[in-house]
Structures are given as C-alpha cells and as structure tokens.
Short mmCIF file of all heavy atoms in Angstrom, two decimals:
data_model
loop_
_atom_site.label_atom_id
_atom_site.label_comp_id
_atom_site.label_asym_id
_atom_site.label_seq_id
_atom_site.Cartn_x
_atom_site.Cartn_y
_atom_site.Cartn_z
N THR A 1 99.87 131.18 81.66
CA THR A 1 100.95 131.08 82.64
C THR A 1 102.28 130.91 81.94
O THR A 1 102.34 130.49 80.78
CB THR A 1 100.71 129.91 83.60
OG1 THR A 1 101.79 129.81 84.54
CG2 THR A 1 100.60 128.59 82.86
N THR A 2 103.33 131.24 82.65
CA THR A 2 104.70 131.14 82.14
C THR A 2 105.58 130.46 83.17
O THR A 2 105.41 130.68 84.38
CB THR A 2 105.28 132.55 81.89
OG1 THR A 2 104.54 133.20 80.89
CG2 THR A 2 106.73 132.47 81.47
N ILE A 3 106.52 129.67 82.68
CA ILE A 3 107.61 129.19 83.52
C ILE A 3 108.90 129.44 82.76
O ILE A 3 109.06 129.01 81.62
CB ILE A 3 107.45 127.71 83.93
CG1 ILE A 3 108.55 127.31 84.91
CG2 ILE A 3 107.40 126.78 82.72
CD1 ILE A 3 108.26 125.99 85.63
N THR A 4 109.79 130.20 83.36
CA THR A 4 111.03 130.52 82.68
C THR A 4 111.99 129.33 82.74
O THR A 4 111.75 128.36 83.46
CB THR A 4 111.70 131.73 83.33
OG1 THR A 4 112.15 131.37 84.64
CG2 THR A 4 110.74 132.91 83.42
N ARG A 5 113.08 129.45 82.00
CA ARG A 5 114.06 128.36 82.03
C ARG A 5 114.67 128.23 83.42
O ARG A 5 115.15 127.15 83.76
CB ARG A 5 115.14 128.62 80.99
CG ARG A 5 115.88 129.94 81.15
CD ARG A 5 116.83 130.14 79.99
NE ARG A 5 117.51 131.44 80.05
CZ ARG A 5 118.37 131.85 79.14
NH1 ARG A 5 118.67 131.09 78.12
NH2 ARG A 5 118.93 133.03 79.27
N GLY A 6 114.61 129.29 84.21
CA GLY A 6 115.11 129.23 85.57
C GLY A 6 114.08 128.74 86.58
O GLY A 6 114.39 128.60 87.76
N GLY A 7 112.84 128.52 86.12
CA GLY A 7 111.80 128.00 87.00
C GLY A 7 110.88 129.03 87.60
O GLY A 7 109.99 128.69 88.39
N THR A 8 111.05 130.30 87.23
CA THR A 8 110.14 131.34 87.73
C THR A 8 108.80 131.22 87.04
O THR A 8 108.74 131.06 85.82
CB THR A 8 110.73 132.73 87.48
OG1 THR A 8 111.99 132.84 88.16
CG2 THR A 8 109.79 133.81 88.00
N THR A 9 107.73 131.32 87.82
CA THR A 9 106.39 131.19 87.26
C THR A 9 105.60 132.49 87.42
O THR A 9 105.85 133.28 88.34
CB THR A 9 105.62 130.05 87.95
OG1 THR A 9 105.54 130.32 89.36
CG2 THR A 9 106.32 128.72 87.73
N ARG A 10 104.68 132.68 86.51
CA ARG A 10 103.80 133.86 86.56
C ARG A 10 102.41 133.44 86.14
O ARG A 10 102.25 132.61 85.23
CB ARG A 10 104.31 134.97 85.63
CG ARG A 10 105.59 135.63 86.11
CD ARG A 10 105.88 136.88 85.28
NE ARG A 10 106.29 136.54 83.93
CZ ARG A 10 107.54 136.33 83.55
NH1 ARG A 10 108.51 136.38 84.44
NH2 ARG A 10 107.83 136.07 82.29
N TYR A 11 101.42 134.04 86.81
CA TYR A 11 100.02 133.74 86.54
C TYR A 11 99.21 135.02 86.54
O TYR A 11 99.40 135.88 87.40
CB TYR A 11 99.44 132.81 87.62
CG TYR A 11 100.19 131.53 87.84
CD1 TYR A 11 101.23 131.46 88.77
CD2 TYR A 11 99.86 130.38 87.13
CE1 TYR A 11 101.91 130.28 88.98
CE2 TYR A 11 100.54 129.20 87.33
CZ TYR A 11 101.57 129.16 88.26
OH TYR A 11 102.24 127.98 88.46
N PRO A 12 98.24 135.13 85.64
CA PRO A 12 97.31 136.25 85.75
C PRO A 12 96.33 135.98 86.88
O PRO A 12 96.18 134.84 87.34
CB PRO A 12 96.60 136.24 84.39
CG PRO A 12 96.65 134.81 83.96
CD PRO A 12 97.94 134.27 84.49
N ASP A 13 95.67 137.02 87.33
CA ASP A 13 94.73 136.87 88.45
C ASP A 13 93.62 135.87 88.15
O ASP A 13 93.09 135.23 89.05
CB ASP A 13 94.12 138.23 88.81
CG ASP A 13 95.13 139.16 89.46
OD1 ASP A 13 96.17 138.66 89.93
OD2 ASP A 13 94.86 140.37 89.50
N SER A 14 93.26 135.73 86.88
CA SER A 14 92.14 134.87 86.51
C SER A 14 92.39 133.40 86.83
O SER A 14 91.43 132.62 86.99
CB SER A 14 91.82 135.01 85.02
OG SER A 14 92.96 134.70 84.24
N VAL A 15 93.64 132.99 86.93
CA VAL A 15 93.94 131.58 87.19
C VAL A 15 94.80 131.38 88.43
O VAL A 15 95.03 130.24 88.85
CB VAL A 15 94.63 130.91 85.99
CG1 VAL A 15 93.81 131.10 84.73
CG2 VAL A 15 96.05 131.40 85.79
N LYS A 16 95.26 132.46 89.03
CA LYS A 16 96.16 132.35 90.18
C LYS A 16 95.47 131.59 91.31
O LYS A 16 94.31 131.84 91.63
CB LYS A 16 96.57 133.75 90.65
CG LYS A 16 97.74 133.79 91.60
CD LYS A 16 98.14 135.23 91.89
CE LYS A 16 98.67 135.93 90.67
NZ LYS A 16 99.11 137.32 90.95
N GLY A 17 96.19 130.65 91.88
CA GLY A 17 95.63 129.83 92.95
C GLY A 17 94.89 128.61 92.46
O GLY A 17 94.57 127.71 93.26
N ARG A 18 94.60 128.55 91.18
CA ARG A 18 93.89 127.38 90.62
C ARG A 18 94.77 126.59 89.65
O ARG A 18 94.65 125.38 89.55
CB ARG A 18 92.62 127.84 89.89
CG ARG A 18 91.64 128.58 90.76
CD ARG A 18 90.32 128.84 90.01
NE ARG A 18 90.49 129.66 88.82
CZ ARG A 18 90.14 129.28 87.59
NH1 ARG A 18 89.62 128.08 87.38
NH2 ARG A 18 90.31 130.10 86.56
N PHE A 19 95.61 127.26 88.91
CA PHE A 19 96.46 126.63 87.91
C PHE A 19 97.91 126.61 88.39
O PHE A 19 98.37 127.56 89.03
CB PHE A 19 96.40 127.38 86.59
CG PHE A 19 95.10 127.28 85.84
CD1 PHE A 19 93.96 126.76 86.42
CD2 PHE A 19 95.02 127.72 84.53
CE1 PHE A 19 92.77 126.66 85.72
CE2 PHE A 19 93.84 127.64 83.80
CZ PHE A 19 92.71 127.12 84.41
N THR A 20 98.61 125.55 88.03
CA THR A 20 100.03 125.43 88.37
C THR A 20 100.79 124.91 87.16
O THR A 20 100.44 123.87 86.62
CB THR A 20 100.25 124.49 89.56
OG1 THR A 20 99.49 124.94 90.68
CG2 THR A 20 101.73 124.44 89.93
N ILE A 21 101.81 125.65 86.77
CA ILE A 21 102.67 125.20 85.69
C ILE A 21 103.93 124.58 86.28
O ILE A 21 104.42 125.03 87.33
CB ILE A 21 103.03 126.37 84.74
CG1 ILE A 21 103.73 125.86 83.48
CG2 ILE A 21 103.86 127.44 85.45
CD1 ILE A 21 103.93 126.92 82.41
N SER A 22 104.43 123.54 85.63
CA SER A 22 105.68 122.93 86.04
C SER A 22 106.38 122.38 84.81
O SER A 22 105.76 122.26 83.75
CB SER A 22 105.43 121.81 87.06
OG SER A 22 104.62 120.79 86.51
N ARG A 23 107.63 122.08 84.97
CA ARG A 23 108.38 121.53 83.84
C ARG A 23 109.30 120.43 84.32
O ARG A 23 109.78 120.46 85.46
CB ARG A 23 109.18 122.64 83.15
CG ARG A 23 110.30 123.26 83.96
CD ARG A 23 110.87 124.51 83.27
NE ARG A 23 111.46 124.19 81.98
CZ ARG A 23 111.69 125.10 81.01
NH1 ARG A 23 111.36 126.37 81.21
NH2 ARG A 23 112.25 124.73 79.88
N ASP A 24 109.53 119.49 83.43
CA ASP A 24 110.47 118.39 83.68
C ASP A 24 111.46 118.42 82.53
O ASP A 24 111.17 117.92 81.43
CB ASP A 24 109.72 117.06 83.75
CG ASP A 24 110.61 115.91 84.14
OD1 ASP A 24 111.84 115.99 83.92
OD2 ASP A 24 110.09 114.90 84.64
N ASN A 25 112.62 119.00 82.77
CA ASN A 25 113.60 119.13 81.69
C ASN A 25 114.14 117.78 81.24
O ASN A 25 114.55 117.63 80.09
CB ASN A 25 114.74 120.04 82.15
CG ASN A 25 114.31 121.50 82.25
OD1 ASN A 25 113.30 121.91 81.68
ND2 ASN A 25 115.09 122.27 83.00
N ALA A 26 114.13 116.80 82.11
CA ALA A 26 114.60 115.47 81.72
C ALA A 26 113.65 114.81 80.72
O ALA A 26 114.07 113.99 79.90
CB ALA A 26 114.75 114.59 82.95
N LYS A 27 112.37 115.20 80.79
CA LYS A 27 111.36 114.63 79.89
C LYS A 27 110.97 115.60 78.79
O LYS A 27 110.08 115.30 77.98
CB LYS A 27 110.12 114.22 80.67
CG LYS A 27 110.37 113.09 81.66
CD LYS A 27 109.08 112.69 82.37
CE LYS A 27 109.34 111.53 83.32
NZ LYS A 27 108.10 111.11 84.04
N ASN A 28 111.61 116.79 78.78
CA ASN A 28 111.29 117.80 77.75
C ASN A 28 109.80 118.12 77.71
O ASN A 28 109.21 118.28 76.63
CB ASN A 28 111.76 117.34 76.37
CG ASN A 28 113.26 117.16 76.29
OD1 ASN A 28 114.01 117.85 76.98
ND2 ASN A 28 113.70 116.24 75.46
N THR A 29 109.21 118.22 78.88
CA THR A 29 107.78 118.36 78.97
C THR A 29 107.40 119.45 79.98
O THR A 29 108.04 119.58 81.03
CB THR A 29 107.13 117.03 79.40
OG1 THR A 29 107.43 116.03 78.41
CG2 THR A 29 105.62 117.16 79.51
N VAL A 30 106.37 120.20 79.62
CA VAL A 30 105.79 121.17 80.53
C VAL A 30 104.36 120.75 80.83
O VAL A 30 103.68 120.17 79.97
CB VAL A 30 105.85 122.60 79.94
CG1 VAL A 30 105.03 122.72 78.66
CG2 VAL A 30 105.42 123.63 80.96
N TYR A 31 103.94 121.01 82.06
CA TYR A 31 102.63 120.59 82.51
C TYR A 31 101.81 121.79 82.96
O TYR A 31 102.34 122.81 83.39
CB TYR A 31 102.76 119.62 83.69
CG TYR A 31 103.60 118.40 83.40
CD1 TYR A 31 104.95 118.37 83.75
CD2 TYR A 31 103.07 117.30 82.74
CE1 TYR A 31 105.73 117.26 83.49
CE2 TYR A 31 103.84 116.19 82.47
CZ TYR A 31 105.19 116.18 82.84
OH TYR A 31 105.97 115.07 82.56
N LEU A 32 100.49 121.61 82.89
CA LEU A 32 99.59 122.61 83.45
C LEU A 32 98.53 121.86 84.26
O LEU A 32 97.67 121.19 83.69
CB LEU A 32 98.93 123.43 82.34
CG LEU A 32 97.95 124.50 82.83
CD1 LEU A 32 98.68 125.54 83.68
CD2 LEU A 32 97.26 125.18 81.65
N GLN A 33 98.63 121.99 85.56
CA GLN A 33 97.63 121.42 86.46
C GLN A 33 96.54 122.47 86.67
O GLN A 33 96.84 123.58 87.13
CB GLN A 33 98.26 121.04 87.80
CG GLN A 33 97.28 120.49 88.81
CD GLN A 33 96.70 119.15 88.40
OE1 GLN A 33 97.42 118.27 87.94
NE2 GLN A 33 95.39 118.99 88.58
N MET A 34 95.33 122.11 86.34
CA MET A 34 94.20 123.04 86.45
C MET A 34 93.19 122.47 87.43
O MET A 34 92.63 121.39 87.19
CB MET A 34 93.55 123.25 85.08
CG MET A 34 94.54 123.71 84.01
SD MET A 34 93.73 124.12 82.44
CE MET A 34 93.16 122.50 81.94
#
C-alpha cells in the first residue's frame, strides 16, 4: 500500500478492504492496520 504526502492511498486487490494505511505527520509515523 501507498500513502502520498497529500494523503492519497492506493491498495492492490489482494489487500483492498482488509488493510488500511494512515500517517501521523506530527509523530513522523506511518501505520498499517491489517
């Protein structure tokens, strides 16, 4: 999965609907909820 600096996300079909990417710029951290 990808999350752009603008917050746009992309997922392949294999994980779409199951995985979620997010980012917290204040914490300099990216997350992957599976």
Side-chain angles (χ1 to χ4, degrees):
T1 179
T2 297
I3 185 165
T4 68
R5 58 186 177 180
T8 300
T9 59
R10 290 190 289 271
Y11 305 89
D13 289 343
S14 58
V15 306
K16 194 175 295 182
R18 301 187 299 122
F19 290 12
T20 303
I21 190 171
S22 61
R23 66 190 298 161
D24 186 336
N25 289 342
K27 295 183 178 180
N28 298 329
T29 300
V30 63
Y31 304 96
L32 180 63
Q33 177 67 44
M34 305 186 293

